[in-house]
């Protein structure tokens, strides 16, 4: 028997008035060209350079409420291109350390195969084929430890 539907309570909208003390806010397609999101910085090969956001890109719904501040999770932070710096390039030693760490996560301690994905070593302790007793697909692993599988 279906349960009778009760009256649903509307979610209350928290209204925060806009003020000068908060970061400047821009609506979609109305922000200056020198302000970009983190994703746009990444596409240009830049990082924020240690500086925080300088403005907020309001969500689509808040475009109809110009007197209130956008507090929705779909808003985006805007960073200035003046403070942006080029992304740091990892050194060869850093890449080797990353490769060793990934090798430890993707090598089975029992059969010594290095897979192209991380293994459930914390819960199972070995790879799935060793645990369940079947032969793995040849395209998913390498038998000999690879000499050079650096991240970059």
């Amino acid at each position: 028997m279906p349960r009778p539907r009760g009256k649903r309570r509307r979610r209350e909208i928290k209204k925060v008035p806009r003020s000068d003390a908060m970061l400047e806010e821009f609506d979609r397609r109305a922000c200056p060209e020198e302000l970009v999101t983190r994703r746009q910085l990444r596409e240009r090969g830049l990082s924020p350079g240690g500086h925080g956001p300088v403005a907020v890109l309001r969500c689509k719904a808040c475009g109809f409420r110009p007197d209130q501040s956008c507090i929705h999770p779909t808003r985006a932070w805007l960073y200035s291109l003046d403070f942006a710096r080029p992304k740091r390039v990892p050194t060869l030693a850093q890449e080797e350390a990353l490769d060793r760490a990934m090798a430890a996560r993707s090598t089975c301690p029992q059969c010594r195969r290095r897979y192209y994905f991380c293994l459930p070593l914390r819960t199972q302790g070995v790879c799935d084929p060793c645990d369940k007793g079947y032969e793995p697909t040849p395209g998913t692993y390498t038998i000999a430890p690879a000499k050079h599988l650096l991240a970059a």
Side-chain angles (χ1 to χ4, degrees):
M1 180 171 177
R3 194 172 71 186
R5 284 184 151 186
K7 288 188 177 180
R8 288 189 185 185
R9 201 179 245 195
R10 286 188 82 187
R11 191 172 58 164
E12 292 183 29
I13 298 173
K14 185 177 177 184
K15 295 182 179 181
V16 179
R18 283 176 107 168
S19 70
D20 296 332
M22 299 170 69
L23 290 175
E24 194 174 354
E25 295 185 4
F26 294 99
D27 289 327
R28 306 240 173 218
R29 294 180 177 79
C31 68
E33 291 183 13
E34 65 268 5
L35 297 180
V36 293
T37 62
R38 233 178 173 19
R39 184 172 289 182
Q40 290 169 333
L41 279 175
R42 193 176 337 132
E43 287 172 357
R44 297 177 188 192
L46 300 171
S47 70
H51 294 278
V54 295
V56 175
L57 183 63
R58 294 162 51 94
C59 68
K60 191 176 179 181
C62 286
F64 302 108
R65 294 184 284 264
D67 58 328
Q68 294 172 16
S69 184
C70 180
I71 56 167
H72 297 106
T74 54
R75 69 176 181 259
W77 303 109
L78 293 173
Y79 298 88
S80 176
L81 282 175
D82 300 334
F83 300 133
R85 294 185 184 155
K87 277 187 181 177
R88 295 187 314 174
V89 178
T91 63
L92 192 59
Q94 288 172 332
E95 288 187 17
E96 287 175 359
L98 284 173
D99 185 51
R100 282 194 305 271
M102 288 307 295
R105 293 177 68 192
S106 60
T107 303
C108 177
Q110 192 172 353
C111 64
R112 307 301 302 163
R113 292 184 186 118
R114 182 170 177 182
Y115 288 86
Y116 295 113
F117 51 87
C118 294
L119 299 174
L121 298 177
R122 187 175 288 170
T123 55
Q124 268 179 249
V126 291
C127 63
D128 246 5
C130 291
D131 188 44
K132 307 238 183 339
Y134 64 87
E135 195 61 34
T137 309
T140 60
Y141 66 90
T142 58
I143 295 175
K147 290 186 179 184
H148 188 275
L149 287 178
L150 297 181

